[in-house]
Amino acid sequence: MKKKIAILPGDGIGREIASGAASALEAVGKRFGHEFEIEYADIGGAAIDSHGTPLPESTLALAKESDAILLGAVGGPKWDSLPSAQRPERGLLAIRKELGLFANLRPIPSFQTLVQSSPLKPEIAGKVNMLIVRELTGGLYFGKPSERRGENNEVVVDTLQYTRAEIERIVIKAFEFAKARDGRLTSVDKANVLESSRMWREIVNEKAADYPEVTVDHMYVDAAAMKLISSPGQFDVIVTENLFGDILSDEASMITGSLGMLPSASLSESGLGLYEPVHGSAPDIAGQNKANPLAMILSTALMLKYSLDMRTEGEAIERAVQSVLNDGYCTPDLQLEGSTVVGTDKMIELVTSRIAEETTASAGEVVYM
Ligand code: IPM
Ligand code: MG
């Protein structure tokens, strides 16, 4: 098959890890006989520097004409003092909105080989296999007005707005995933305080009737934050609104030991998908060959599976990653005793060379979604 892939490296470590995605695709192409036509474009701070705007028209056009999109990360201290409408993060929010990427999927498996790098006890961290379904194009991130007002600008307003249709489509997505997985859905809200959460809860209860095979429970977001630490193994699929999902997914990522391990998929109704690591641009380690490229490489695997109908190919990448970890290699963020610490380039090379051949991960096969 021939597929066109847009790679938007962005800023900071985004540029280093993006090369991991490209190498992984090349290796998949060679082994399985596909042709990936890769085109690069700027987003975020890099786009502010090259085009004067965090999401140039040309980048958006490339994304729209591609079969799928890979994104590194955006943001950095260089652009921190810009007004909010011109910040690098604005580019990321705008591409999500423009492409209608409302469903953000963040799978959080336990990597058996990495259990000791988790701050949680191994018997707790080792039992995790959840999927966070985060609403991505509504809520506080996009509600209007969002501004300072009043005399001297001493009043500030952000708006949490959702339409019924926006909630329905994300809730349906979450039910579909729960049905295909372990059949348990936890809807996270703040219905004891927020009207938006009360409507969210109503809709979840309505849709539950269409999915008798899925068990549903509701949890307030503060309680969910606590349960993620005390008993993360209880979750299968979590569905929640944009801001809660942002916060809970960073929290949940640490169960696996490092934010540097987690991929994500953002899907639209038409099926177009953007794939990016959950972590950010990590300016403190950028350019030092220290970044963990695995979240980006695993995002590439999700892309193959969910946007390009190449499940075997995606799993080949996942197995290659697993096999490198099983052999005791890790990047500095993982702090695994007794393992061989390697830099970004070396990790990319190790994984890529294992994609090239049939690899069997001997222990702890990881199921993403
Ligand atoms: C994420 C990030 C983004 C978000 C930032 C960079 C705007 O934290 O993808 O989780 O808040 O959505
Ligand atoms: Mg985040």
Side-chain angles (χ1 to χ4, degrees), residues 112-153:
Q112 295 309 323
T113 35
L114 302 185
V115 153
Q116 44 155 317
S117 68
S118 170
L120 299 186
K121 295 185 188 114
E123 63 272 26
I124 295 179
K127 291 205 186 79
V128 173
N129 185 5
M130 74 178 97
L131 172 67
I132 297 184
V133 179
R134 168 189 175 194
E135 200 293 324
L136 202 60
T137 51
L140 269 174
Y141 276 56
F142 294 95
K144 292 277 178 296
S146 171
E147 63 192 23
R148 292 182 193 213
R149 55 164 80 144
E151 240 177 88
N152 306 321
N153 280 342

Side-chain angles (χ1 to χ4, degrees), residues 74 89 92-93 96 106 134 136 141 246 250 276 278:
V74 299
E89 290 78 5
L92 182 56
L93 300 186
R96 289 172 178 170
R106 299 186 162 183
R134 168 189 175 194
L136 202 60
Y141 276 56
D246 178 46
D250 267 33
E276 59 173 320
V278 172

